[in-house]
Short mmCIF file of all heavy atoms in Angstrom, two decimals:
data_model
loop_
_atom_site.label_atom_id
_atom_site.label_comp_id
_atom_site.label_asym_id
_atom_site.label_seq_id
_atom_site.Cartn_x
_atom_site.Cartn_y
_atom_site.Cartn_z
N GLU A 170 -22.15 50.80 -68.92
CA GLU A 170 -22.76 51.98 -68.29
C GLU A 170 -22.05 52.32 -66.98
O GLU A 170 -21.74 53.48 -66.70
CB GLU A 170 -24.23 51.68 -68.01
CG GLU A 170 -25.07 52.93 -67.91
CD GLU A 170 -26.54 52.56 -67.78
OE1 GLU A 170 -27.05 51.77 -68.61
OE2 GLU A 170 -27.16 53.04 -66.82
N LYS A 171 -21.72 51.30 -66.19
CA LYS A 171 -21.02 51.55 -64.92
C LYS A 171 -19.64 52.14 -65.21
O LYS A 171 -19.21 53.10 -64.57
CB LYS A 171 -20.87 50.25 -64.10
CG LYS A 171 -20.09 50.50 -62.81
CD LYS A 171 -19.87 49.28 -61.97
CE LYS A 171 -19.04 49.47 -60.72
NZ LYS A 171 -18.10 50.54 -60.60
N LEU A 172 -18.98 51.56 -66.21
CA LEU A 172 -17.63 52.05 -66.53
C LEU A 172 -17.67 53.52 -66.99
O LEU A 172 -16.85 54.34 -66.57
CB LEU A 172 -17.02 51.16 -67.61
CG LEU A 172 -15.50 51.21 -67.69
CD1 LEU A 172 -14.93 49.87 -68.10
CD2 LEU A 172 -15.01 52.26 -68.63
N PHE A 173 -18.65 53.84 -67.82
CA PHE A 173 -18.81 55.22 -68.32
C PHE A 173 -19.04 56.18 -67.14
O PHE A 173 -18.40 57.23 -67.04
CB PHE A 173 -19.99 55.24 -69.31
CG PHE A 173 -20.15 56.54 -70.03
CD1 PHE A 173 -19.20 56.97 -70.94
CD2 PHE A 173 -21.26 57.35 -69.80
CE1 PHE A 173 -19.34 58.18 -71.61
CE2 PHE A 173 -21.40 58.55 -70.46
CZ PHE A 173 -20.45 58.98 -71.38
N ASN A 174 -19.91 55.77 -66.23
CA ASN A 174 -20.19 56.61 -65.06
C ASN A 174 -18.98 56.74 -64.15
O ASN A 174 -18.70 57.81 -63.61
CB ASN A 174 -21.39 56.05 -64.27
CG ASN A 174 -22.68 56.23 -65.05
OD1 ASN A 174 -22.78 57.13 -65.88
ND2 ASN A 174 -23.65 55.36 -64.82
N ASP A 175 -18.25 55.63 -63.98
CA ASP A 175 -17.03 55.67 -63.16
C ASP A 175 -16.01 56.63 -63.76
O ASP A 175 -15.35 57.39 -63.05
CB ASP A 175 -16.41 54.28 -63.04
CG ASP A 175 -17.05 53.43 -61.93
OD1 ASP A 175 -17.73 54.02 -61.05
OD2 ASP A 175 -16.87 52.21 -61.94
N ALA A 176 -15.89 56.58 -65.09
CA ALA A 176 -14.91 57.47 -65.77
C ALA A 176 -15.29 58.93 -65.53
O ALA A 176 -14.43 59.76 -65.22
CB ALA A 176 -14.88 57.15 -67.26
N LYS A 177 -16.59 59.23 -65.64
CA LYS A 177 -17.03 60.63 -65.41
C LYS A 177 -16.78 61.02 -63.95
O LYS A 177 -16.39 62.15 -63.66
CB LYS A 177 -18.51 60.77 -65.79
CG LYS A 177 -18.69 60.82 -67.31
CD LYS A 177 -20.04 61.36 -67.72
CE LYS A 177 -21.16 60.43 -67.33
NZ LYS A 177 -22.47 60.82 -67.81
N LEU A 178 -17.02 60.06 -63.04
CA LEU A 178 -16.80 60.34 -61.62
C LEU A 178 -15.32 60.66 -61.35
O LEU A 178 -15.00 61.62 -60.63
CB LEU A 178 -17.25 59.14 -60.77
CG LEU A 178 -16.94 59.24 -59.28
CD1 LEU A 178 -17.82 60.30 -58.60
CD2 LEU A 178 -17.12 57.90 -58.58
N LEU A 179 -14.43 59.85 -61.94
CA LEU A 179 -12.99 60.07 -61.71
C LEU A 179 -12.58 61.46 -62.18
O LEU A 179 -11.79 62.15 -61.52
CB LEU A 179 -12.15 58.99 -62.41
CG LEU A 179 -12.30 57.55 -61.87
CD1 LEU A 179 -11.35 56.61 -62.59
CD2 LEU A 179 -12.05 57.47 -60.38
N GLN A 180 -13.13 61.87 -63.31
CA GLN A 180 -12.84 63.23 -63.80
C GLN A 180 -13.38 64.27 -62.82
O GLN A 180 -12.69 65.23 -62.46
CB GLN A 180 -13.45 63.44 -65.18
CG GLN A 180 -13.44 64.90 -65.60
CD GLN A 180 -13.76 65.10 -67.06
OE1 GLN A 180 -12.91 64.95 -67.92
NE2 GLN A 180 -15.01 65.45 -67.36
N LYS A 181 -14.62 64.06 -62.36
CA LYS A 181 -15.25 65.02 -61.45
C LYS A 181 -14.47 65.13 -60.13
O LYS A 181 -14.31 66.23 -59.57
CB LYS A 181 -16.68 64.55 -61.17
CG LYS A 181 -17.55 65.59 -60.56
CD LYS A 181 -19.02 65.20 -60.60
CE LYS A 181 -19.76 65.88 -59.48
NZ LYS A 181 -20.75 65.04 -58.84
N LEU A 182 -13.93 64.00 -59.67
CA LEU A 182 -13.19 64.03 -58.41
C LEU A 182 -11.87 64.81 -58.56
O LEU A 182 -11.34 65.33 -57.59
CB LEU A 182 -12.88 62.60 -57.95
CG LEU A 182 -14.08 61.76 -57.52
CD1 LEU A 182 -13.65 60.34 -57.19
CD2 LEU A 182 -14.79 62.39 -56.32
N GLY A 183 -11.34 64.81 -59.80
CA GLY A 183 -10.11 65.57 -60.02
C GLY A 183 -8.93 64.74 -60.51
O GLY A 183 -7.79 65.23 -60.50
N CYS A 184 -9.16 63.49 -60.90
CA CYS A 184 -8.06 62.69 -61.46
C CYS A 184 -7.53 63.41 -62.70
O CYS A 184 -8.30 64.01 -63.45
CB CYS A 184 -8.56 61.29 -61.87
SG CYS A 184 -8.97 60.26 -60.46
N PHE A 185 -6.22 63.33 -62.93
CA PHE A 185 -5.66 64.06 -64.09
C PHE A 185 -5.70 63.24 -65.37
O PHE A 185 -5.54 63.79 -66.47
CB PHE A 185 -4.23 64.55 -63.81
CG PHE A 185 -3.20 63.46 -63.73
CD1 PHE A 185 -2.51 63.06 -64.86
CD2 PHE A 185 -2.92 62.83 -62.52
CE1 PHE A 185 -1.54 62.06 -64.80
CE2 PHE A 185 -1.97 61.82 -62.45
CZ PHE A 185 -1.29 61.43 -63.59
N ALA A 186 -5.93 61.93 -65.25
CA ALA A 186 -5.99 61.05 -66.43
C ALA A 186 -6.55 59.71 -65.98
O ALA A 186 -6.57 59.42 -64.77
CB ALA A 186 -4.61 60.84 -67.04
N ILE A 187 -6.99 58.90 -66.95
CA ILE A 187 -7.36 57.53 -66.58
C ILE A 187 -6.81 56.54 -67.61
O ILE A 187 -6.66 56.86 -68.79
CB ILE A 187 -8.89 57.30 -66.42
CG1 ILE A 187 -9.66 57.60 -67.70
CG2 ILE A 187 -9.48 58.05 -65.29
CD1 ILE A 187 -11.12 57.19 -67.59
N VAL A 188 -6.53 55.35 -67.11
CA VAL A 188 -6.17 54.23 -67.97
C VAL A 188 -7.41 53.37 -68.16
O VAL A 188 -8.14 53.11 -67.20
CB VAL A 188 -5.04 53.38 -67.32
CG1 VAL A 188 -4.89 52.03 -68.02
CG2 VAL A 188 -3.72 54.14 -67.35
#
Side-chain angles (χ1 to χ4, degrees):
E170 204 174 308
K171 178 182 177 336
L172 201 147
F173 188 67
N174 290 334
D175 276 343
K177 284 197 293 186
L178 174 71
L179 293 184
Q180 168 168 279
K181 196 167 153 219
L182 293 176
C184 290
F185 70 91
I187 60 172
V188 166

